Amino acid sequence: MRSSWADSVVNSAAENVAAGSSASNGVATAAKPTRGAYIPPHLRNLTPSSEPPAPAYSGPSSANDRSGYSGNRWGGPRNDSNQTGYSSGGRTGGWNNKSGGWDRGREREVNPFGDDVDTEKVFSEQENTGINFDAYEDIPVETSGDNVPPPVNTFAEIDLGEALNQNIKRCKYVKPTPVQRHAIPISLAGRDLMACAQTGSGKTAAFCFPIISGIMKGQASQRPPRGARTVYPLALILSPTRELSCQIHDEAKKFSYQTGVKVVVAYGGAPISQQLRDLERGVDILVATPGRLVDLLERARVSLQMIRYLALDEADRMLDMGFEPQIRKIVEQMDMPPQGVRQTMLFSATFPKEIQKLASDFLSNYVFLAVGRVGSSTDLIVQRVEFVHDTDKRSHLMDLLHAQRANGVHGKQYLTLVFVETKKGADSLEHWLCMNGFPATTIHGDRTQQEREQALRSFKSGVTPILVATDVAARGLDIPHVAHVVNFDLPNDIDDYVHRIGRTGRAGKTGLATAFFNDNNSSLAKALSELMQEANQEVPAWLSRYAARSPYVGRNRRSGGGGRFGGRDFRRDASFNRGGTDYYSGGNSSTGYGTAGGYGGGYGSGVTSAWD
DNA sequence: AAAAAAG
């Protein structure tokens, strides 16, 4: 007999699994060795995972309860569901579904794939079906740097280790995606990497596989005896938003299942107590947002001394004005090993040259990899631009939504993501939509973390098939079934536009992106029109006229090069090589199409690949 | 000018 909140934890976890999402923070995989006695991850997992289930809950121990959060307090009855009254149905929400505190110490690892028996079913019903591989066969690939390791064609020809291979199979990843074909061998060869690959193309797996594999094969290293509660992760993965860190964590848990490699996530807006407990149970890979990590470092609960792998997702965002100081602090001013000692990997769909230059501070003799922007800006996403005055935007949006509804394509299979400029604007548009009979919710930085996560769940589940979002949702989030992205307010930066529309058209599926353009967006006209032209989209004549009038340089100013990539290696750009430093090694460099690596063709229908 | 990220 469990207490009622324990039941809600269990139910909530069960729903988590049923929904195919990972029940986060699985409990330790094996008896925890005493600190100081380092046991390599592959030896930690000798305990079979077929242990009896955790016994009935018998109440929190006083030790666990220090924070006061172990109970239902955070997930309590206070209904935070948005003003519409649409709740995500069934979920209690809140933090308790992640707690794991009640059965901590169990030598059981939560199966992130759901029930073993149903694994096939769960995954065959998920989004990883019907991938349009044909769309990826002529993806251009460009690499530069010294002695670039050649790409592989299959997972089988890389020695990732048996346990990891097993998980790749469980994910039904049959073939590596283009970015994975190139990035994984580069990482396994120990090289630093700056990778520029289209949205939704499998970047998460591209940096997780080599990290997990490397940790499993790694030599047992001496753990420095230190402050009792300090933990020493071997890999650090940073991302710019809390939800993205959660998503990466969920993915990494799948990839590391039964490998003995422990993944922990830490981010702000959630109680730190649970994250501290997770860390104490051991961590090999730490996924974090910068603010919370700095907090943990300053409390000396985490040390970066043992870091062997550093990965920055959405690296261009991580190094832009808002984030750069924090990232520099973490990477350069704490106790992380310097570049060249650790291995560093930077990933993003866009890589402005200015940011590349900053990023090269963190890298050592790195390989630059660019994989074409298919998936975010080719014909997989139909891009439309409509001239709409600010005052007409709402009614215009309403027309679009009515049309969708009339076509019978609303509901779970037809999610609509609406981007606006400001947090206030998001709240107000959400309210207006709800008043007008369109179930909507919103995600932005003024909402509590619980509200944000609730909104995302409610959107993904189709309960509120419209999500009004600020740029917090622009990058990296993988939301299946987003068929329509509306840029209600266009961003000022074309790269932000690329990331936003990349929320649809994922995993080779088609998507629609509609933008409302007016005089306030004239500075974007040239870049937008060029981008659309590159993607073979129909550019309205009025937009071309705006573009011709535009005093601004197009996207070349930022990502440079334009064309097929989200960026080109700045080391090859003469303007960056004045002043004596020849960044570009002149080593081998190749540009070619996908088949250069020999991976053209050969996808059977229904075959799944490792998209992110 | 806005958003994000610590509380």
Side-chain angles (χ1 to χ4, degrees):
Chain A
M1 57 196 157
R2 298 182 179 96
S3 69
S4 61
W5 72 258
D7 277 328
S8 80
V9 168
V10 171
N11 292 339
S12 155
E15 281 159 25
N16 241 355
V17 169
S21 68
S22 125
S24 311
N25 304 334
V27 292
T29 53
K32 189 175 180 0
T34 50
R35 218 181 308 272
Y38 178 80
I39 308 233
H42 61 285
L43 296 179
R44 289 177 205 159
N45 199 34
L46 300 177
T47 315
S49 63
S50 53
E51 288 225 344
Y57 175 71
S58 59
S61 79
S62 56
N64 291 354
D65 204 27
R66 278 190 310 266
S67 71
Y69 286 128
S70 63
N72 204 1
R73 234 160 110 167
W74 274 77
R78 174 182 157 264
N79 191 341
D80 71 299
S81 59
N82 46 66
Q83 303 89 305
T84 67
Y86 295 99
S87 80
S88 76
R91 285 290 293 269
T92 53
W95 307 106
N96 53 358
N97 59 353
K98 293 204 170 214
S99 81
W102 54 280
D103 67 347
R104 122 184 133 100
R106 290 291 119 197
E107 299 175 10
R108 180 170 61 83
E109 182 176 12
V110 172
N111 179 352
F113 299 97
D115 188 303
D116 279 310
V117 179
D118 286 342
T119 300
E120 299 289 318
K121 188 163 166 271
V122 166
F123 274 82
S124 61
E125 283 170 0
Q126 273 192 340
E127 63 273 16
N128 283 330
T129 52
I131 286 175
N132 175 13
F133 285 94
D134 293 345
Y136 293 86
E137 296 204 353
D138 59 349
I139 293 180
V141 175
E142 181 175 294
T143 56
S144 50
D146 286 329
N147 301 313
V148 179
V152 294
N153 302 313
T154 62
F155 288 123
E157 61 193 280
I158 336 167
D159 180 25
L160 288 170
E162 187 44 42
L164 186 48
N165 281 332
Q166 203 64 32
N167 292 332
I168 292 171
K169 283 199 192 99
R170 302 179 88 123
C171 291
K172 303 218 168 178
Y173 295 167
V174 175
K175 296 242 175 190
T177 66
V179 65
Q180 291 163 1
R181 288 189 174 97
H182 288 80
I184 293 174
I186 292 167
S187 301
L188 287 177
R191 297 291 299 277
D192 281 4
L193 174 64
M194 183 185 291
C196 193
Q198 69 274 20
T199 57
S201 66
K203 290 193 285 286
T204 310
F207 59 74
C208 283
F209 289 178
I211 290 174
I212 293 167
S213 167
I215 289 176
M216 289 176 72
K217 289 174 193 159
Q219 300 300 311
S221 39
Q222 193 75 33
R223 293 253 163 181
R226 264 279 221 95
R229 304 216 286 186
T230 308
V231 294
Y232 299 84
L234 305 174
L236 177 63
I237 300 172
L238 292 172
S239 95
T241 66
R242 298 162 180 175
E243 287 77 12
L244 186 51
S245 281
C246 283
Q247 180 180 301
I248 295 167
H249 172 250
D250 289 347
E251 288 295 292
K253 292 285 285 186
K254 290 182 190 168
F255 302 148
S256 62
Y257 181 55
Q258 290 188 337
T259 61
V261 175
K262 295 176 190 168
V263 191
V264 173
V265 67
Y267 57 90
I272 201 168
S273 49
Q274 181 59 47
Q275 293 171 7
L276 290 173
R277 284 196 291 269
D278 291 340
L279 289 167
E280 280 178 8
R281 291 210 300 263
V283 53
D284 298 302
I285 301 175
L286 178 58
V287 185
T289 48
R292 179 54 62 89
L293 176 62
V294 167
D295 190 0
L296 292 167
L297 291 169
E298 285 172 349
R299 295 178 189 220
R301 297 299 296 260
V302 170
S303 161
L304 302 177
Q305 221 173 301
M306 306 291 285
I307 290 292
R308 304 211 303 253
Y309 304 93
L310 169 65
L312 302 192
D313 200 9
E314 307 298 341
D316 61 332
R317 167 63 83 233
M318 301 302 277
L319 292 168
D320 80 6
M321 276 195 350
F323 270 121
E324 192 205 340
Q326 263 183 315
I327 301 302
R328 279 201 188 275
K329 176 169 184 173
I330 292 166
V331 176
E332 294 176 331
Q333 288 153 37
M334 306 304 286
D335 52 354
M336 192 186 301
Q339 72 261 52
V341 177
R342 63 164 197 264
Q343 192 179 339
T344 309
M345 295 172 271
L346 310 184
F347 282 77
S348 182
T350 53
F351 244 122
K353 287 205 191 313
E354 292 78 3
I355 303 287
Q356 287 187 38
K357 193 168 184 186
L358 288 177
S360 61
D361 288 354
F362 299 156
L363 296 161
S364 168
N365 186 30
Y366 64 95
V367 174
F368 180 90
L369 166 66
V371 179
R373 300 159 78 200
V374 174
S376 68
S377 58
T378 65
D379 47 12
L380 278 182
I381 300 176
V382 175
Q383 298 177 57
R384 292 196 311 215
V385 188
E386 292 166 1
F387 194 94
V388 186
H389 289 292
D390 281 344
T391 47
D392 300 334
K393 280 182 175 179
R394 284 185 173 182
S395 63
H396 201 83
L397 177 62
M398 183 70 82
D399 290 346
L400 292 180
L401 295 174
H402 273 301
Q404 279 176 207
R405 185 173 276 181
N407 291 333
V409 281
H410 64 103
K412 179 165 184 169
Q413 296 303 311
Y414 203 95
L415 304 180
T416 302
L417 181 51
V418 182
F419 282 104
V420 296
E421 190 66 20
T422 65
K423 295 178 278 198
K424 269 180 68 177
D427 279 334
S428 124
L429 182 58
E430 178 229 24
H431 185 247
W432 184 82
L433 284 168
C434 291
M435 297 298 283
N436 284 278
F438 286 96
T441 184
T442 181
I443 186 167
H444 60 69
D446 272 357
R447 305 200 80 194
T448 68
Q449 192 55 28
Q450 282 180 88
E451 288 170 330
R452 287 165 56 159
E453 290 176 18
Q454 162 72 14
L456 210 48
R457 280 195 300 268
S458 169
F459 182 55
K460 282 183 174 177
S461 68
V463 171
T464 52
I466 301 169
L467 179 65
V468 183
T470 60
D471 268 332
V472 70
R475 285 168 172 264
L477 293 188
D478 190 37
I479 308 171
H481 311 303
V482 173
H484 195 179
V485 169
V486 179
N487 274 289
F488 190 89
D489 301 318
L490 272 164
N492 296 317
D493 186 320
I494 192 65
D495 285 343
D496 291 333
Y497 174 84
V498 170
H499 284 274
R500 285 180 178 188
I501 67 170
R503 294 318 99 213
T504 186
R506 298 182 72 78
K509 289 196 165 63
T510 56
L512 173 63
T514 304
F516 296 171
F517 183 103
N518 61 37
D519 287 329
N520 299 328
N521 310 114
S522 52
S523 66
L524 195 69
K526 189 168 166 88
L528 181 58
S529 120
E530 285 178 5
L531 182 82
M532 289 177 68
Q533 261 172 326
E534 289 161 16
N536 297 316
Q537 301 293 311
E538 199 175 314
V539 181
W542 58 262
L543 182 60
S544 300
R545 286 197 292 275
Y546 263 95
R549 251 185 286 150
S550 171
Y552 292 96
V553 197
R555 63 171 292 105
N556 291 358
R557 184 180 60 84
R558 281 185 56 81
S559 287
R564 307 162 303 183
F565 304 112
R568 292 194 81 218
D569 191 349
F570 88 96
R571 294 174 296 185
R572 306 178 74 174
D573 185 334
S575 67
F576 280 96
N577 290 335
R578 295 186 201 118
T581 314
D582 183 12
Y583 290 98
Y584 178 48
S585 63
N588 66 14
S589 155
S590 65
T591 302
Y593 285 78
T595 45
Y599 54 73
Y603 295 110
S605 64
V607 170
T608 301
S609 189
W611 314 96
D612 62 6

